[in-house]
Amino acid sequence: MVKAVLLVGGFSGQMRPLTLTQPLPLLDFCNAELIMHQLKALKDAGASEVVICYNERQVPPLWNASILRFEAELELKLTTLQEKVSHGTAGAIKHAEALITDGGSNEAPFLVVNGDVLCTYPLRDLVHHHQQKQCEGTVLITRSETPSEYGVVVTDERTGRIRHFVQEPETFVSELINAGVYIFSPSIFDRLSLRPTSMEKEVLPALAAEEQLYSMPLDGYWMNIKTPKNFLHGTSHYLSHLRLHQPQTLAQESIA
């Protein structure tokens, strides 16, 4: 059993006007809330607890009520961790240290999933891959036609070790990108501070430089949902994935 951190961040982001009436994680995506897709994947991977990190000061009643409902439906322990001030992706993980490590007594690796990412989530394989490499961090990677918009990686094709990690490079480096899904050993907390810090710009490049960061390629769909346009494209990718791999989950066309 592993624990997991779900990095939600803010409730609106760049998704307005879709988020005018409800938080981003609760937007309906193919008959389920966005966050439910991620929580189900973590549950299927054997997660014992998910710590949901967010940095909104004003939390609508709908949010807390939804978390209780998800916890009951999935039979999965969900702990929400609110930041009054955003600490960035690295600071948010540091904020969750006591919960993830049970106050320092739990030395098991833990999963991290960004809340604006949806993919096929091969999380059990990622855990196994990380254990084999015995490294500090393992990143799920995928290919992108617009790599400069993300964290770009250069890997050792033989071992999967990430040789270089560059966030939003100005020139072409590679078409392989960080998919926003990780597993870390608890020693990562020694590198983190409870202050505004970016995993992508500060921590991951340092891990790569010290040969402590490995990769696992994603075989399946991946989408980053940050804007309404991405949301629509993501819906199309997800439905195409279901049509190919789980056609029984789609409504059948009625014949008059």
Side-chain angles (χ1 to χ4, degrees), residues 15-49:
M15 288 292 288
R16 290 179 179 272
L18 298 180
T19 52
L20 288 174
T21 57
Q22 59 184 339
L24 171 60
L26 302 184
L27 289 181
D28 187 74
F29 184 88
C30 298
N31 294 339
E33 294 90 345
L34 278 172
I35 194 172
M36 273 296 275
H37 291 274
Q38 297 150 343
L39 293 177
K40 285 181 178 178
L42 289 166
K43 165 78 173 183
D44 292 343
S48 59
E49 179 181 1

Side-chain angles (χ1 to χ4, degrees), residues 28-30 223 225 230-240:
D28 187 74
F29 184 88
C30 298
M223 62 191 80
I225 301 177
N230 292 149
F231 187 91
L232 292 174
H233 286 169
T235 301
S236 175
H237 290 317
Y238 182 70
L239 291 176
S240 296

Side-chain angles (χ1 to χ4, degrees), residues 25-247:
L26 302 184
L27 289 181
D28 187 74
F29 184 88
C30 298
N31 294 339
E33 294 90 345
L34 278 172
I35 194 172
M36 273 296 275
H37 291 274
Q38 297 150 343
L39 293 177
K40 285 181 178 178
L42 289 166
K43 165 78 173 183
D44 292 343
S48 59
E49 179 181 1
V50 179
V51 181
I52 304 172
C53 301
Y54 63 98
N55 57 36
E56 288 290 338
R57 294 185 178 181
Q58 296 183 340
V59 181
L62 176 64
W63 171 252
N64 293 322
S66 297
I67 295 299
L68 291 175
R69 174 168 59 86
F70 299 152
E71 189 171 45
E73 288 182 7
L74 296 173
E75 297 182 341
L76 174 64
K77 184 178 180 181
L78 303 179
T79 304
T80 56
L81 194 58
Q82 182 181 17
E83 298 174 87
K84 300 297 184 180
V85 178
S86 173
H87 291 116
T89 47
I93 295 173
K94 180 67 173 180
H95 194 210
E97 179 178 3
L99 291 169
I100 292 298
T101 64
D102 296 324
S105 63
N106 184 354
E107 298 182 356
F110 63 98
L111 292 160
V112 176
V113 175
N114 276 287
D116 56 4
V117 165
L118 287 178
C119 65
T120 46
Y121 293 119
L123 300 180
R124 287 187 182 273
D125 291 341
L126 187 64
V127 172
H128 181 67
H129 192 77
H130 179 76
Q131 292 171 336
Q132 283 188 318
K133 297 300 181 182
Q134 297 185 337
C135 57
E136 199 161 334
T138 304
V139 180
L140 195 65
I141 62 172
T142 188
R143 296 185 183 276
S144 173
E145 296 179 354
T146 56
S148 61
E149 298 178 6
Y150 307 102
V152 175
V153 301
V154 177
T155 66
D156 182 317
E157 295 183 1
R158 183 177 60 85
T159 65
R161 182 176 64 82
I162 295 179
R163 297 166 54 198
H164 302 290
F165 187 105
V166 185
Q167 184 68 15
E168 299 177 0
E170 295 182 359
T171 59
F172 179 82
V173 176
S174 166
E175 61 180 3
L176 296 174
I177 66 166
N178 165 24
V181 179
Y182 320 102
I183 182 167
F184 294 112
S185 298
S187 57
I188 192 71
F189 288 115
D190 295 336
R191 299 177 179 268
L192 309 181
S193 302
L194 194 57
R195 60 178 178 83
T197 322
S198 168
M199 287 296 296
E200 299 80 6
K201 294 182 179 180
E202 300 172 63
V203 181
L204 297 181
L207 283 176
E210 296 177 25
E211 301 186 359
Q212 283 297 314
L213 190 62
Y214 280 75
S215 65
M216 190 185 89
L218 172 64
D219 182 16
Y221 78 90
W222 179 86
M223 62 191 80
N224 183 272
I225 301 177
K226 284 188 175 181
T227 66
K229 180 180 178 181
N230 292 149
F231 187 91
L232 292 174
H233 286 169
T235 301
S236 175
H237 290 317
Y238 182 70
L239 291 176
S240 296
H241 169 78
L242 290 183
R243 188 174 297 111
L244 183 62
H245 297 282
Q246 301 176 40

